[in-house]
Amino acid sequence: MSISASLKAPLFATAALVGLSFGVAQAHPAVSSQPWGTTADGKAVRIVTLKNDHNVTVRVITYGGIIQSVETPDRNGHVQDVVLGFGDLKGYTVDSAKGGLFFGAMIGRYANRLAGGSFPVEGKVYHTDITAGPNALHGGRKGFDKNVWTLEKTGTNGSGAYVTLKLVSPNGDQGFPGTLTTHITYTLGNDDALSLHYVATTDAPTVLNLTNHSYWNLNGEGSGSVEPEILQLNADSFTPTDSTSLPTGQIVPVAGTPLDFSKPTAIGDRLRSNDQQMMYARGYDMNWVVNGAYGQAPRLAGKVYDPRSGRSMEILTNQPGLQVYTSNSLDGGYAGISGRAYRQTDAVAFEAEHYPDSPNHPSFPTTELKPGQTFDYTTIFKFSNK
């Protein structure tokens, strides 16, 4: 499916593609910051609130670079939080941390899996901790999601309200070579788009794969399953995995499989398929290969629509892949802001990233980063209620 073809499909033919107009004459985006607790080792955490003119509010905490909440109106103007999360710091640092579920977090240095926790860089093999046996998942035991980021700057400009966070990961951090400096800028615009702009540099050759791990439920946080939500993906192929969620190295067409979302399809329609890939993952947890060139301007990767609330969200990115995950590991062990327990299929994550285990698959887009190069990628979540 070409991008032009995808834009003609019924689900994509919305006002969100050309921006929304609510009759607001002048933009007044706003940003504010408040203390939000202290970690066990004494580091102060802050919460930053971004607002636009359309009753959209985004909150980010400096612990883990976590998107704590995203409030956006439904078709009737009723505002609800549409990401799973917690009302205090302990929910992230203690309670949910035990399950390794990465609620809303920035993931690094390496998002997704590395085979056996090993990866080559310029002929030398390095190792990080195995956190999802027998492989490493999401960057070691203390990845970017478990660090307090520096609040570098906040403000407003022509693009909206923004906050930039910074993290310096020292040489050898979690086994990764090179001192890596990462900046992430979250911008909420009056086009109702939340942009995540990642910029990183290194002083020695390394590998890098950054993403955000927000769990989305467009009917509202704590409202139950996302199975009725309608998903369309701009992806003709995917990277199949073995039973440990490692890619086999193949790139396979989605046609004829439960992974074919080239046309608008309810998430729940094929969720219980006995397809081997679905059985391995206990639902959807695969990397789709986004159509179109990566590393250039963000292109449409997918769109999800909730018929109950009327909310929709487009995902645009210049990353090569999109991991779609139907929260298969949520087991009712954690209750969120709503006070309701989170269970399997209560959300869907859209992790725009490079492919899993890329350093061990030379045919995949490279994740190597060298001195003098800049990792520069953007992912956009764009909301609508039309």
Side-chain angles (χ1 to χ4, degrees), residues 289-303:
V289 176
V290 180
N291 294 339
Y294 68 93
Q296 301 177 20
R299 78 280 196 212
L300 195 62
K303 180 171 181 176

Side-chain angles (χ1 to χ4, degrees), residues 20-290:
L20 298 173
S21 175
F22 288 78
V24 176
Q26 190 173 1
H28 296 93
V31 58
S32 60
S33 168
Q34 293 83 30
W36 213 65
T38 305
T39 62
D41 58 355
K43 293 180 180 174
V45 174
R46 297 188 69 83
I47 188 167
V48 180
T49 302
L50 309 176
K51 293 186 176 184
N52 74 3
D53 286 346
H54 303 151
N55 289 324
V56 180
T57 302
V58 175
R59 295 180 181 89
V60 176
I61 62 173
T62 55
Y63 177 80
I66 288 169
I67 296 176
Q68 185 261 352
S69 59
V70 175
E71 297 173 356
T72 185
D74 67 8
R75 62 165 68 89
N76 298 315
H78 177 58
V79 175
Q80 284 177 288
D81 185 8
V82 294
V83 296
L84 274 56
F86 304 95
D88 58 29
L89 185 58
K90 180 175 177 286
Y92 296 98
T93 59
V94 179
D95 296 340
S96 68
K98 291 181 289 189
L101 295 169
F102 306 97
F103 286 92
M106 296 310 313
I107 305 297
R109 289 193 189 188
Y110 201 93
N112 221 309
R113 287 162 177 84
L114 290 166
S118 299
F119 55 95
V121 178
E122 296 195 336
K124 181 178 178 180
V125 176
Y126 295 83
H127 305 276
T128 189
D129 291 329
I130 292 173
T131 52
N135 307 308
L137 175 66
H138 292 337
R141 294 198 184 280
K142 190 181 180 183
F144 285 8
D145 61 295
K146 296 180 180 66
N147 280 268
V148 177
W149 293 59
T150 299
L151 179 54
E152 193 167 50
K153 59 183 176 178
T154 62
T156 59
N157 56 28
S159 299
Y162 69 88
V163 55
T164 299
L165 304 183
K166 176 183 177 181
L167 183 68
V168 178
S169 175
N171 178 46
D173 185 14
Q174 309 303 301
F176 291 90
T179 298
L180 183 81
T181 301
T182 302
H183 298 84
I184 301 173
T185 299
Y186 309 71
T187 303
L188 175 62
N190 265 331
D191 58 353
D192 299 330
L194 171 63
S195 167
L196 279 61
H197 183 203
Y198 312 82
V199 176
T201 55
T202 181
D203 67 356
T206 192
V207 295
L208 181 64
N209 194 14
L210 300 176
T211 194
N212 174 266
H213 203 290
S214 289
Y215 290 90
W216 300 94
N217 184 324
L218 296 186
N219 195 41
E221 175 271 335
S223 68
S225 179
V226 296
E227 291 184 54
E229 296 190 10
I230 309 297
L231 178 63
Q232 189 173 6
L233 297 176
N234 185 23
D236 294 336
S237 55
F238 75 107
T239 52
T241 71
D242 64 17
S243 61
T244 72
S245 298
L246 277 183
T248 63
Q250 299 172 292
I251 294 178
V252 173
V254 297
T257 78
L259 282 73
D260 187 354
F261 285 92
S262 57
K263 296 178 180 178
T265 304
I267 290 173
D269 276 5
R270 299 186 294 254
L271 195 61
R272 289 163 181 81
S273 165
N274 64 358
D275 181 275
Q276 188 62 72
Q277 290 293 300
M278 299 291 288
M279 299 287 280
Y280 284 156
R282 295 177 290 125
Y284 291 105
D285 189 12
M286 300 89 175
N287 169 64
W288 275 258
V289 176
V290 180

